[in-house]
Amino acid sequence: MTNQILRGRKHLIALNPNDLPTKWLNMRAVLPEKLPPVLDPDDDKHGRVEIMRRIRPQAMIQQDETNDEWIDIPEEVLEKFVEIGRPTPLMRAVELERYLDTPAKIYIKREDLLPSHSFKLNTAVAQAYYAKKENAEGLITETGAGQWGVSLSYACNMFDLKTIVFWVKVSVNQKPLRRAFSEMLGATVYPSPSTMTKAGREILDKNPDHYGSLGTAIGEAISFSMEHDSYKYASGSNLSHVLLHQSIIGLETKMQLELAGEQPDILVGCCGGGSNLGGLIAPWVRTKSERPDTIRLFAAESEAAPRLSRGRYMYDHSDPVGLTPQVLSYTLGMDYMPPPVHVGGLRQHNGSPIIGMLKHKDLLESRPYTQEEIFEAGRLFIQLYRIIPAPETCHAIKATIDLALEAKRNNEKKTIVMCFSGNGLLDLSGYSEILNKSK
Amino acid sequence: MTNQILRGRKHLIALNPNDLPTKWLNMRAVLPEKLPPVLDPDDDKHGRVEIMRRIRPQAMIQQDETNDEWIDIPEEVLEKFVEIGRPTPLMRAVELERYLDTPAKIYIKREDLLPSHSFKLNTAVAQAYYAKKENAEGLITETGAGQWGVSLSYACNMFDLKTIVFWVKVSVNQKPLRRAFSEMLGATVYPSPSTMTKAGREILDKNPDHYGSLGTAIGEAISFSMEHDSYKYASGSNLSHVLLHQSIIGLETKMQLELAGEQPDILVGCCGGGSNLGGLIAPWVRTKSERPDTIRLFAAESEAAPRLSRGRYMYDHSDPVGLTPQVLSYTLGMDYMPPPVHVGGLRQHNGSPIIGMLKHKDLLESRPYTQEEIFEAGRLFIQLYRIIPAPETCHAIKATIDLALEAKRNNEKKTIVMCFSGNGLLDLSGYSEILNKSK
């Protein structure tokens, strides 16, 4: 019975808990230029930057501003990482390569295996740890489709913290299972607009049937945080500290590729706020910056919000109503409304300034995809692997397929590495809706 | 950094693929008496036993009848077992022990980690393998809540077989995500009653709005199988071959307990058809039979269908309309209707004859639980572990809690081992419904 340990698992490159990286990599330190500061808009009377300083855990503020290249991961966070299944495996997608008949090798980093079903848990665990350390009673956040809400509820449960989630009302009704999961984990969920905040009550006074938006939810989460000092405010994307925490994805991937004897030619991630893509590419940003021809970095966007591909590089708020400070990144404008029919995620009008700078410096490629083509790619993946990609992840799969076919046309043995950001079991109705419509 | 390999995972007893048992254990060979045969009812004109012989894979018929104690697991099935994550871990539930403040040790066998989300995949893989080997084009089955339908679709995808699922119409509408998962895996789903069979058309002629039952679905699956010789018929519970395949659960558990230096005092499983319980207890049945005082076997039933606790031991059909042969087991009668409000699973009127004999010989205890108490137990489990038990699994958790509290009252250091049969992510609406109602 030789070699049986490989039986059925031969395409998985696993690391054991001893191999976990013990430091995060700070992309701010490896960018080609210093990242411009976040700013209050000219007409600001509220001091948005100052409000954020007050309502976030202090460690997050420090991590947002430091230019140190390496930040120690606290031992207790490492323990929780192991508990949630880190290091996650890297999978060689041989079946997909064969199906595409491409000379390219495809590697997939399996963040979908985390128990909250997405990579969001990496930063949720870190933020919950710091909030606990700063003696917070709990964390407050907003969520739309809910992967972030579930992940934060999960992490807060691990650290015995309370969770308060302002959840866009129309989304919470579409995702009752994600809401129930959060609540069973102990979270308090307020469909937003709610009667819990002045902002929410004003909206409801005008229109009791208001179905909410990410703007109303962010607004309520921020005001509720300002009124409840024992709680801290948490965000799941865009910010430097979030990308810092997600660098664990790339650091593990780098070790796994070295074990496999591979050098990546192309790194691919879907891109909304930019944190899973940022986390994946972090260890290669300096190389890209110094020797641009040795590697390609690729952002798969949604046609519903193609900010990197068709937006402008300028200062803008990261939320749709201007409650947060302004950052320099690619934006479609704060009042950009993605097509209402779109179910495929990645609908933000702007995103991470780190990702924005990479694009601005021509170090990052991007391409937008339609929901029809991404769900087709997702269906192919399910039929080959019986693993359900989240709609966001389907964008990265579609890009990977296109890049592997490009390698085939050019007869090039490229090594493509993709971040599989989340599981889509609870999003299967989106697949059915779009794929049945396009029949 | 000593002992880091245990960091965060110290309560998991893992086996590696090399340790997989290579033979199934046949409970028919270790029962205290020979199992009585399946029979046609006296008035039978159709030859139900003969029909089953015709429409099932021949290997299933042979496995249903053999009294050999050990059956080789084909190498290709072992490979697929590794691919789906076998051996599954055994988890020491230290947090639950502490919460209950019990001297009992609690071990949990994690079948929920299989990628179709339940233990049903173990027999689905085996049946798909044999069907493929017998050159079938595909497998036909019926399903209610859909865990079996998903598992069979998953296994058929692995072996490149087609799947046809007759899915109780009212259930398929309540579980759109399970249906979508099956379809994405390549299955064809017919909400039953359908127009695909004569039986279905007759029902629809009388009542076009008929919402179906397990009876209509079984009827359609059997008639469709009879009309399509290139397909074979598959069942997910009750039968000897199904329990045989599930013995992998107990065989792995036994190895894991030996690694932990433990002897089980009580084995617990939820019990509907009886196959996860049967699979868990298989390696201890002979011991129980020969030295009854050394171990307790415990079936957690639903109050909605307490067949072992309150049924009669007699010959009956296993399906609600009498299309299958009769078996000797505990039954509530073919026309027993479980309360319609019940969402907690385990609703069969009878079950496995092997389990029935164990109960009849006083080798198996059973207790029924209400949906309110099982979902409360499930919520406690989620809050302690962030793992969502399927409603069926919640019955086993409730029983385990009660047995651990009994050990506490008696100040006895019992070792309790429970089968965690499935994940309940898609069943969270049941939790919300029942727990919010009972507030």
Side-chain angles (χ1 to χ4, degrees):
Chain A
M1 309 252 277
T2 54
N3 205 22
Q4 276 215 350
I5 194 156
L6 296 179
R7 191 167 53 189
R9 287 184 183 166
K10 54 188 172 298
H11 302 313
L12 282 188
I13 304 164
L15 297 174
N16 81 44
N18 285 340
D19 301 324
L20 257 190
T22 56
K23 293 174 194 296
W24 285 303
L25 174 53
N26 182 7
M27 286 174 84
R28 296 170 62 90
V30 292
L31 287 175
E33 279 176 18
K34 194 154 174 285
L35 204 66
V38 301
L39 294 179
D40 284 322
D42 292 339
D43 64 344
D44 189 33
K45 293 181 187 71
H46 309 290
R48 292 164 173 82
V49 174
E50 201 42 49
I51 288 174
M52 287 298 146
R53 282 181 182 278
R54 206 186 103 201
I55 64 178
R56 289 197 193 277
Q58 287 313 297
M60 289 359 343
I61 300 297
Q62 287 159 18
Q63 291 182 354
D64 272 347
E65 294 175 354
T66 180
N67 289 317
D68 290 353
E69 186 165 341
W70 296 99
I71 309 285
D72 282 332
I73 307 177
E75 177 64 27
E76 202 175 341
V77 172
L78 288 173
E79 281 173 18
K80 300 297 185 204
F81 277 175
V82 175
E83 211 175 313
I84 64 175
R86 302 216 72 88
T88 57
L90 183 70
M91 177 174 97
R92 169 88 184 268
V94 175
E95 293 80 1
L96 181 58
E97 294 167 15
R98 280 190 204 133
Y99 178 87
L100 299 173
D101 189 24
T102 173
K105 291 182 195 168
I106 300 171
Y107 287 91
I108 294 180
K109 180 65 169 167
R110 297 288 307 277
E111 295 299 298
D112 59 306
L113 293 173
L114 298 181
S116 72
H117 313 130
S118 89
F119 77 104
K120 297 271 183 195
L121 189 55
N122 297 321
T123 186
V125 165
Q127 293 190 56
Y129 164 79
Y130 289 113
K132 184 76 180 181
K133 206 177 151 200
E134 294 177 23
N135 297 313
E137 190 179 339
L139 281 167
I140 296 169
T141 198
E142 69 282 333
T143 199
Q147 284 191 324
W148 168 241
V150 166
S151 291
L152 192 68
S153 305
Y154 192 103
C156 284
N157 176 296
M158 293 184 101
F159 285 98
D160 203 16
L161 285 169
K162 292 180 183 162
T163 323
I164 293 173
V165 185
F166 288 89
W167 203 313
V168 180
K169 193 182 277 175
V170 61
S171 303
V172 81
N173 294 335
Q174 287 165 351
K175 304 281 180 186
L177 298 181
R178 287 222 173 92
R179 175 188 184 160
F181 191 9
S182 298
E183 289 180 334
M184 291 293 148
L185 289 166
T188 303
V189 171
Y190 298 123
S192 174
S194 77
T195 56
M196 298 306 296
T197 65
K198 186 158 169 287
R201 287 188 296 270
E202 281 174 8
I203 295 169
L204 290 173
D205 278 350
K206 283 185 206 148
N207 177 7
D209 298 324
H210 196 293
Y211 54 74
S213 70
L214 204 51
T216 65
I218 293 177
E220 289 208 276
I222 292 177
S223 7
F224 201 79
S225 301
M226 290 170 67
E227 292 157 16
H228 295 81
D229 278 344
S230 63
Y231 282 76
K232 292 294 172 189
Y233 175 59
S235 299
S237 195
N238 289 45
L239 295 144
S240 291
H241 68 267
V242 175
L243 270 71
L244 174 73
H245 303 152
Q246 296 298 355
S247 69
I248 191 85
I249 299 173
L251 293 166
E252 287 178 10
T253 301
K254 190 157 186 286
M255 292 169 70
Q256 289 164 315
L257 288 171
E258 282 163 8
L259 278 177
E262 298 283 3
Q263 285 277 11
D265 296 302
I266 315 175
L267 299 171
V268 184
C270 61
C271 190
S275 69
N276 95 81
L277 174 68
L280 175 70
I281 65 180
W284 289 276
V285 165
R286 178 171 280 151
T287 309
K288 177 67 186 174
S289 179
E290 291 172 358
R291 287 171 285 137
D293 293 342
T294 55
I295 192 164
R296 292 169 65 186
L297 310 179
F298 197 100
E301 294 198 288
S302 166
E303 186 64 57
R307 79 201 74 74
L308 293 172
S309 306
R310 298 195 205 122
R312 286 181 58 200
Y313 190 60
M314 56 178 276
Y315 266 97
D316 196 3
H317 301 280
S318 299
D319 69 281
V321 287
L323 295 161
T324 54
Q326 294 188 330
V327 298
L328 181 59
S329 189
Y330 280 81
T331 179
L332 293 162
M334 214 169 70
D335 50 0
Y336 178 77
M337 286 293 288
V341 295
H342 193 84
V343 295
L346 312 177
R347 303 171 57 159
Q348 295 187 244
H349 72 275
N350 84 344
S352 150
I354 291 174
I355 298 295
M357 178 182 284
L358 292 175
K359 173 71 180 169
H360 184 61
K361 295 285 177 188
D362 258 342
L363 302 175
L364 176 70
E365 299 163 64
S366 68
R367 200 180 299 164
Y369 297 95
T370 67
Q371 56 185 344
E372 288 75 16
E373 59 190 349
I374 66 102
F375 279 121
E376 273 301 345
R379 172 156 62 182
L380 170 64
F381 197 88
I382 296 172
Q383 297 204 348
L384 288 176
Y385 290 98
R386 301 165 292 280
I387 296 164
I388 309 169
E392 296 79 7
T393 310
C394 290
H395 292 76
I397 294 173
K398 172 62 179 157
T400 298
I401 291 173
D402 285 357
L403 290 162
L405 291 175
E406 180 188 300
K408 180 181 177 180
R409 282 192 302 276
N410 302 336
N411 196 23
E412 291 176 324
K413 292 190 176 171
K414 297 290 184 192
T415 297
I416 305 170
V417 181
M418 185 200 105
C419 182
F420 198 103
S421 54
N423 179 289
L425 183 63
L426 298 188
D427 306 294
L428 274 170
S429 48
Y431 278 80
S432 306
E433 189 190 317
I434 300 305
L435 294 176
N436 290 335
K437 202 163 55 188
S438 63
K439 257 180 200 165
Chain B
M1 309 252 276
T2 56
N3 204 24
Q4 276 213 353
I5 195 157
L6 295 179
R7 190 166 55 189
R9 287 184 183 165
K10 53 188 172 298
H11 302 313
L12 282 188
I13 304 163
L15 298 174
N16 80 44
N18 284 342
D19 300 325
L20 257 189
T22 56
K23 292 175 195 294
W24 286 302
L25 174 53
N26 181 8
M27 286 175 84
R28 298 170 61 91
V30 292
L31 288 175
E33 280 177 16
K34 192 156 176 284
L35 204 67
V38 300
L39 294 179
D40 283 321
D42 292 340
D43 64 344
D44 187 33
K45 292 182 187 71
H46 309 290
R48 291 163 173 82
V49 173
E50 202 42 48
I51 287 174
M52 287 299 147
R53 281 181 182 278
R54 205 186 104 200
I55 63 179
R56 289 197 192 277
Q58 288 312 298
M60 289 359 344
I61 301 296
Q62 287 159 17
Q63 292 182 353
D64 272 346
E65 294 175 356
T66 181
N67 288 317
D68 290 352
E69 186 165 340
W70 296 99
I71 309 285
D72 281 334
I73 307 178
E75 177 63 26
E76 201 175 342
V77 172
L78 288 173
E79 281 173 18
K80 300 297 184 204
F81 277 174
V82 175
E83 213 175 312
I84 62 175
R86 301 216 72 88
T88 57
L90 183 70
M91 176 174 96
R92 170 90 185 269
V94 175
E95 293 80 0
L96 181 57
E97 294 168 15
R98 282 191 202 131
Y99 178 88
L100 300 172
D101 189 24
T102 174
K105 291 181 195 168
I106 299 171
Y107 286 91
I108 294 180
K109 180 64 169 168
R110 295 288 306 278
E111 295 299 299
D112 59 307
L113 293 173
L114 297 181
S116 73
H117 312 131
S118 89
F119 77 104
K120 296 272 184 194
L121 189 54
N122 297 321
T123 186
V125 164
Q127 293 189 55
Y129 164 78
Y130 288 114
K132 184 75 180 181
K133 207 177 150 199
E134 294 178 23
N135 296 313
E137 190 178 340
L139 280 167
I140 295 169
T141 199
E142 69 281 332
T143 199
Q147 284 191 324
W148 169 241
V150 166
S151 290
L152 192 69
S153 306
Y154 192 104
C156 284
N157 176 296
M158 292 184 102
F159 284 98
D160 204 15
L161 285 169
K162 292 180 184 163
T163 323
I164 293 172
V165 184
F166 288 89
W167 204 314
V168 180
K169 194 182 277 176
V170 61
S171 304
V172 82
N173 293 336
Q174 287 165 350
K175 304 280 180 187
L177 298 181
R178 287 222 173 92
R179 177 188 184 160
F181 191 8
S182 298
E183 289 179 336
M184 290 292 149
L185 288 166
T188 303
V189 172
Y190 298 122
S192 174
S194 76
T195 56
M196 298 305 297
T197 66
K198 187 158 169 286
R201 287 188 295 270
E202 281 174 7
I203 295 169
L204 290 173
D205 278 350
K206 282 186 205 147
N207 177 7
D209 298 325
H210 195 294
Y211 54 75
S213 69
L214 204 51
T216 65
I218 292 177
E220 289 208 277
I222 292 177
S223 9
F224 201 77
S225 301
M226 290 169 67
E227 292 158 18
H228 294 81
D229 279 343
S230 64
Y231 282 76
K232 292 293 171 188
Y233 176 61
S235 299
S237 196
N238 290 47
L239 294 144
S240 291
H241 68 266
V242 175
L243 270 72
L244 174 73
H245 303 152
Q246 296 297 355
S247 70
I248 191 85
I249 300 173
L251 293 166
E252 287 178 10
T253 301
K254 189 157 187 286
M255 293 169 70
Q256 289 164 314
L257 288 171
E258 283 164 7
L259 277 178
E262 298 282 4
Q263 284 278 10
D265 296 302
I266 316 176
L267 298 172
V268 184
C270 62
C271 189
S275 68
N276 96 80
L277 175 68
L280 175 70
I281 65 179
W284 289 277
V285 166
R286 178 171 279 150
T287 308
K288 177 67 186 174
S289 178
E290 291 172 0
R291 287 171 287 138
D293 294 341
T294 55
I295 192 165
R296 292 169 66 185
L297 310 179
F298 197 100
E301 293 197 289
S302 166
E303 186 63 57
R307 79 201 74 73
L308 294 172
S309 306
R310 299 195 205 121
R312 286 181 58 199
Y313 190 60
M314 57 178 275
Y315 266 97
D316 196 3
H317 301 280
S318 299
D319 70 283
V321 286
L323 294 161
T324 55
Q326 294 188 329
V327 298
L328 181 59
S329 190
Y330 280 81
T331 179
L332 294 161
M334 214 168 70
D335 50 1
Y336 177 78
M337 285 294 285
V341 295
H342 193 85
V343 296
L346 312 177
R347 302 172 59 161
Q348 293 186 246
H349 72 276
N350 84 343
S352 149
I354 290 174
I355 298 295
M357 178 182 283
L358 292 175
K359 173 71 180 169
H360 184 61
K361 295 286 177 187
D362 258 342
L363 302 175
L364 175 70
E365 300 164 63
S366 68
R367 199 181 301 164
Y369 297 95
T370 67
Q371 56 185 344
E372 288 76 15
E373 59 190 349
I374 66 102
F375 279 121
E376 273 301 346
R379 172 156 63 181
L380 170 64
F381 197 88
I382 297 172
Q383 297 204 349
L384 289 176
Y385 290 98
R386 302 166 290 279
I387 296 164
I388 309 169
E392 297 77 8
T393 309
C394 289
H395 292 75
I397 294 173
K398 172 62 179 157
T400 297
I401 291 173
D402 285 356
L403 290 162
L405 292 175
E406 180 188 299
K408 180 181 177 180
R409 284 192 301 276
N410 301 337
N411 196 24
E412 290 175 324
K413 292 190 177 172
K414 297 292 186 193
T415 297
I416 305 170
V417 181
M418 186 199 105
C419 181
F420 198 102
S421 55
N423 180 288
L425 183 62
L426 298 188
D427 305 294
L428 274 170
S429 48
Y431 279 80
S432 306
E433 189 189 320
I434 300 306
L435 294 175
N436 291 335
K437 203 162 56 188
S438 63
K439 258 181 198 164

